[in-house]
Amino acid sequence: MDLSEFTIRPDPANPKLTERVSGLDQDGRPVEASVTVERPLTLYLNGQEIVTMMTIADYPDYLAVGYLLNQNMLKRDDRITGIDYDEEIDTVVVRTERATNYEQKLKKKTLTSGCAQGTAFGDVMETFESVRLNPDARLKTSWIYALSKKINLTPSLYLEAGAIHGCVLCQDDRPLVYMEDVGRHNAVDKVAGYMHLHGVPAHDKIFYTTGRLTSEMVIKTVQMGIPILISRSGFTAWGVELGRQANLTMVGRAKGKRFLALAGTDRLDFDADPAAVGDEGGRHQRKGSRDED
């Protein structure tokens, strides 16, 4: 397949991201398997320690900036004067021109619904209600099918070792930035950080995720200003409620020829015949896309 559409995509050959581990299979035979490596990453904003995250640490700069943006600790107009990553002590420091102090905000924590239990600080709805998503954005159903096929055929850590989530920034039927991590909240934050540092506009983009469409996923997508959210997995009730409130187009259970849209359905253009779409091969089916999800 043509991988030139991607600005960033997974690198399953990176030796820092997986390890070979020996064990036994169901028949008691010796086997070797690739497993995903996770490591702690402690984030500082100027001189203040913010959080320690478990991550694969492939893009610590994007993860750090995206996390701070999605926690409303970094403002859109803040001037970032430096991002310093020290691999030896697993630390990343984001420095800004504006003085910051989030002592009170750090006292209020919410464990999110993401795998690896992400943590949100303060009021996660601080800016949600003020966001106005592009009402003129469109989603052709042919794009849903094309994106699903391209993303799931792309070489990835998921196909190499599993135990990981993926998030992809897309435009029309083109996947642009594909990030993976052990928690979907980290993968989202990496995309947010990339968009902010590279000045990527959000009004005409699509956000694709392999994870569930929870309240956390909806809040972060809306805060990023992206009007369309697609997932291979299912929905939570609060996620749908928030999506409808923000006029976010939410498409879930997007697998093979099937999908389900529960919010923002006025943006959909039904330009493809589902009967002409092939079924997915078993190798590319993810746990989060099974029928019962």
Side-chain angles (χ1 to χ4, degrees):
M1 63 175 296
D2 182 13
L3 299 176
S4 63
E5 292 175 312
F6 291 90
T7 303
I8 293 179
R9 60 182 176 86
D11 181 12
N14 185 337
K16 294 183 179 180
L17 302 184
T18 60
E19 290 182 359
R20 298 292 290 178
V21 177
S22 59
L24 301 176
D25 69 7
Q26 66 279 354
D27 297 313
R29 294 176 298 198
V31 294
E32 247 196 13
S34 290
V35 297
T36 302
V37 174
E38 59 177 332
R39 51 178 58 87
L41 178 68
T42 301
L43 168 61
Y44 286 81
L45 176 57
N46 297 312
Q48 185 174 25
E49 180 177 340
I50 302 299
V51 70
T52 296
M53 303 172 278
M54 297 306 298
T55 173
I56 60 175
D58 55 346
Y59 293 100
D61 51 346
Y62 296 147
L63 175 57
V65 170
Y67 181 89
L68 294 171
L69 284 168
N70 282 330
Q71 298 299 328
N72 299 308
M73 293 181 177
L74 190 65
K75 308 303 181 185
R76 298 288 169 179
D77 57 353
D78 272 334
R79 181 171 176 270
I80 297 174
T81 57
I83 305 174
D84 302 315
Y85 172 55
D86 191 324
E87 186 174 6
E88 290 188 2
I89 59 174
D90 297 310
T91 298
V92 59
V93 182
V94 177
R95 306 182 192 280
T96 62
E97 193 173 75
R98 175 176 64 92
T100 57
N101 186 339
Y102 289 108
E103 182 178 351
Q104 292 302 314
K105 185 167 186 155
L106 292 173
K107 291 179 180 179
K108 184 177 180 182
K109 298 182 181 181
T110 302
L111 287 180
T112 69
S113 54
C115 295
Q117 284 197 326
T119 302
F121 296 103
D123 183 358
V124 296
M125 299 293 289
E126 279 179 15
T127 60
F128 183 86
E129 294 183 356
S130 66
V131 176
R132 297 292 177 265
L133 299 177
N134 179 14
D136 298 322
R138 306 303 300 168
L139 175 60
K140 295 183 178 181
T141 57
S142 61
W143 297 349
I144 299 174
Y145 300 133
L147 289 172
S148 295
K149 182 176 181 180
K150 290 177 182 179
I151 291 168
N152 287 290
L153 291 178
T154 298
S156 63
L157 285 172
Y158 174 80
L159 295 177
E160 174 68 22
I164 204 158
H165 281 289
C167 290
V168 190
L169 181 69
C170 312
Q171 185 169 16
D172 299 341
D173 63 349
R174 305 189 309 278
L176 305 175
V177 177
Y178 185 169
M179 297 291 191
E180 291 184 299
D181 214 303
V182 289
R184 64 175 176 268
H185 44 84
N186 287 347
V188 180
D189 290 342
K190 287 178 186 177
V191 174
Y194 176 89
M195 293 176 68
H196 183 76
L197 290 174
H198 293 276
V200 177
H203 71 281
D204 58 349
K205 299 300 187 295
I206 298 168
F207 198 81
Y208 181 103
T209 178
T210 61
R212 299 181 300 277
L213 297 183
T214 63
S215 57
E216 175 202 20
M217 184 63 68
V218 169
I219 290 167
K220 288 191 174 187
T221 303
V222 170
Q223 287 189 155
M224 291 159 65
I226 299 174
I228 299 167
L229 175 60
I230 301 174
S231 174
R232 294 179 57 79
S233 191
F235 310 78
T236 67
W238 193 27
V240 173
E241 181 180 338
L242 290 174
R244 290 177 174 178
Q245 178 182 327
N247 192 29
L248 173 70
T249 297
M250 296 176 63
V251 175
R253 300 179 185 174
K255 173 188 173 185
K257 64 184 66 179
R258 297 180 302 144
F259 65 82
L260 181 63
L262 294 185
T265 56
D266 57 306
R267 291 194 180 95
L268 285 170
D269 291 333
F270 290 85
D271 69 327
D273 179 6
V277 179
D279 291 324
E280 257 181 20
R283 169 171 163 74
H284 303 283
Q285 293 180 5
R286 295 173 181 254
K287 177 182 176 183
S289 67
R290 291 178 183 166
D291 292 348
E292 60 268 25
D293 288 341

